[in-house]
C-alpha cells in the first residue's frame, strides 16, 4: 500500500511541476515574432524576446 501511495504522489508531483520547467520555443518567423512582442533580427533571422 505504501508503494501505491508513493507512486501516486510521485506522479502528481511530476504532473504539476513539469509545466514549470517547459519553455516555449522562440518564434521562427517575423510575423510570429511581432505577434509575441519580440524583436526580429533580419540579419540572423531570429527573434529576441524581451523579459
Amino acid at each position: 500500500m505504501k508503494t501505491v501511495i508513493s507512486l501516486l504522489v510521485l506522479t502528481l508531483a511530476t504532473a504539476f511541476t513539469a509545466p514549470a520547467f517547459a519553455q516555449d520555443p522562440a518564434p521562427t518567423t517575423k510575423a510570429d515574432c511581432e505577434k509575441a512582442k519580440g524583436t526580429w533580427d533580419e540579419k540572423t533571422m531570429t527573434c529576441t524576446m524581451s523579459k
Side-chain angles (χ1 to χ4, degrees):
M1 187 67 174
K2 288 182 181 180
T3 304
V4 174
I5 292 173
S6 296
L7 287 174
L8 178 64
V9 169
L10 181 62
T11 302
L12 288 174
T14 303
F16 286 111
T17 59
F21 296 105
Q23 296 180 352
D24 292 330
T28 56
T29 64
K30 183 176 182 179
D32 288 342
C33 184
E34 290 173 351
K35 197 181 299 182
K37 308 245 188 297
T39 304
W40 183 254
D41 184 0
E42 289 287 339
K43 190 176 191 181
T44 61
M45 302 293 281
T46 58
C47 183
T48 304
M49 302 302 295
S50 58
K51 293 190 178 197

